[in-house]
Amino acid sequence: MFIIKNTFIAKPGHAGKLAALLKEATPPLLNANVKVMIDFVTDFNKIVVEYEVQDLAQFEKAMADFKANANPELKAKMAGYTDMYHTGKREIFKVLD
């Protein structure tokens, strides 16, 4: 199993809107348990989206499916989301059994 964390530093005034958008968009993408977290004691305007996948093939398939078959309404909502943050990164962790 893998834990995937996408971390964003939102532009001032956009953290709440970006977090809500990511919360809506991510679960259908991966059909997985998703946590969307916002800063409490960390960098200002930080948003972390965390989810589990059984293997990286599941993740790659979900990303390809989203690009090829995205819901037009969701795609329209996501348009311009990159304008709401300064930086972003993805970390992938392997869970040891």
Side-chain angles (χ1 to χ4, degrees):
M1 177 179 0
F2 293 87
I3 304 290
I4 299 175
K5 290 186 178 188
N6 294 326
T7 304
F8 303 90
I9 302 296
K11 292 179 180 177
H14 292 289
K17 183 178 177 183
L18 180 57
L21 183 60
L22 293 169
K23 186 172 182 169
E24 180 181 353
T26 306
L29 170 65
L30 288 160
N31 196 18
N33 183 23
V34 176
K35 294 179 192 170
V36 177
M37 300 168 277
I38 58 172
D39 60 90
F40 190 68
V41 180
T42 186
D43 298 333
F44 295 122
N45 299 314
K46 183 181 259 185
I47 302 158
V48 178
V49 181
E50 178 183 289
Y51 45 92
E52 297 177 6
V53 294
Q54 288 304 309
D55 55 50
L56 295 179
Q58 177 189 357
F59 174 69
E60 288 180 310
K61 182 180 181 320
M63 296 300 284
D65 288 349
F66 180 75
K67 288 178 184 177
N69 306 312
N71 174 327
E73 288 180 24
L74 181 57
K75 207 171 191 176
K77 283 183 182 181
M78 293 298 291
Y81 85 99
T82 57
D83 295 334
M84 290 189 258
Y85 65 88
H86 289 293
T87 63
K89 68 178 181 177
R90 175 176 292 133
E91 300 173 294
I92 300 177
F93 298 92
K94 184 173 184 172
V95 177
L96 299 177
D97 295 324

